[in-house]
Amino acid sequence: MRVHVADHPLITHKLTVLRDKTTPSPVFRALTEELVTLLAYEATRGVTVEEITIQTPVTETVGVKISEPRPLVVPILRAGLGMLEGMVKLLPTAEVGFLGMVRNEETLEPTTYAERLPDDLSDRQCFVLDPMLATGGSLAAAIDFLFQRGAMHVTAICLLAAPEGIERLEAETAGKDVTIVLGALDEKLDENGYIVPGLGDAGDRLYGVV
Ligand code: PRP
Ligand code: URA
């Protein structure tokens, strides 16, 4: 598993505002979208392309286009939905599938309550969106789901992660082609499974308390 932690002052600046508990939902949503677009630039570095010949006004030249099958973007509901617009801005031809997952706040185990994905993901590059990688349970289950359907490669984009979650993912995805792109790697998890210093409950901050 490859882990890439973004090292860019704009990303750290935007994350600082996102972490601030006084940042209201509309600003939180806008920043989430902007951060994803910045992280997507790194996350799509390995997107599969093929050569095409085009005619400029001056001459014929060779460029590239994104290969078929088109990449699949999979936001994990709810909080991952806040990242979708920022991602498809950079990758407008991608298809989008959905996974609904919720973590039991006592056991910290995830359950899947919704799934809308192609049955066959053979040869597909998949981009999973979830702002928080805490224990890693939700992301590990999502990645497993995609590989079971035949995905060739999975890249997850997360705004924040805890070292405990990265360790778990490394163990659970051993031997699979997985890349994790992070806005920041935080210190630890607290006794309730929240990322420290973190930003609190991402879903609630985006969409309100359920
Ligand atoms: C949050 C977050 C991740 C999960 C991370 O979702 O968006 O999906 O928790 O925790 P984990 O790494 O320990 O599994 P949550 O379950 O709160 O659902 P929500 O997005 O609907 O708020
Ligand atoms: N889910 C969140 O939304 N935040 C955390 O810190 C951990 C899990």
Side-chain angles (χ1 to χ4, degrees):
M1 187 177 96
R2 287 167 294 275
V3 180
H4 179 89
V5 184
D7 179 22
H8 193 291
L10 263 187
I11 292 179
T12 312
H13 163 73
K14 287 177 194 292
L15 272 177
T16 305
V17 183
L18 209 65
R19 290 177 190 279
D20 188 331
K21 69 178 188 183
T22 65
T23 298
S25 275
V27 179
F28 193 95
R29 284 193 210 125
L31 280 171
T32 299
E33 201 180 309
E34 288 170 23
L35 275 161
V36 175
T37 305
L38 293 171
L39 294 174
Y41 184 72
E42 178 59 39
T44 52
R45 190 175 287 280
V47 76
T48 318
V49 291
E50 61 196 50
E51 282 191 356
I52 52 164
T53 302
I54 56 145
Q55 190 77 38
T56 77
V58 180
T59 185
E60 189 177 280
T61 188
V62 176
V64 299
K65 66 169 188 172
I66 293 176
S67 302
E68 299 280 339
R70 289 186 279 162
L72 183 74
V73 175
V74 184
I76 301 182
L77 311 181
R78 269 181 317 165
L81 205 51
M83 301 169 77
L84 182 59
E85 276 308 305
M87 183 70 186
V88 295
K89 242 180 214 161
L90 204 73
L91 210 54
T93 57
E95 290 183 344
V96 181
F98 296 90
L99 268 178
M101 299 185 127
V102 66
R103 182 176 87 153
N104 179 312
E105 289 303 332
E106 269 149 37
T107 64
L108 301 183
E109 285 306 313
T111 48
T112 304
Y113 60 84
E115 175 262 304
R116 200 84 171 106
L117 291 170
D119 286 338
D120 182 8
L121 296 178
S122 304
D123 302 326
R124 297 292 284 261
Q125 284 184 305
C126 298
F127 294 89
V128 179
L129 308 178
D130 195 332
M132 309 304 275
L133 198 180
T135 65
S138 306
L139 192 55
I143 290 174
D144 186 51
F145 202 92
L146 297 173
F147 278 114
Q148 277 185 30
R149 294 248 169 128
M152 176 176 80
H153 174 85
V154 177
T155 298
I157 305 180
C158 303
L159 301 185
L160 298 182
E164 294 90 328
I166 295 288
E167 212 172 289
R168 175 172 176 175
L169 271 184
E170 243 157 17
E172 295 197 14
T173 65
K176 293 178 181 145
D177 196 356
V178 174
T179 305
I180 312 288
V181 175
L182 302 174
L185 181 59
D186 275 9
E187 271 169 54
K188 59 176 184 178
L189 291 179
D190 71 7
E191 61 283 5
N192 300 312
Y194 273 77
I195 299 174
V196 180
L199 52 74
D201 187 308
D204 288 357
R205 294 200 63 190
L206 280 163
Y207 301 119
V209 180
V210 280

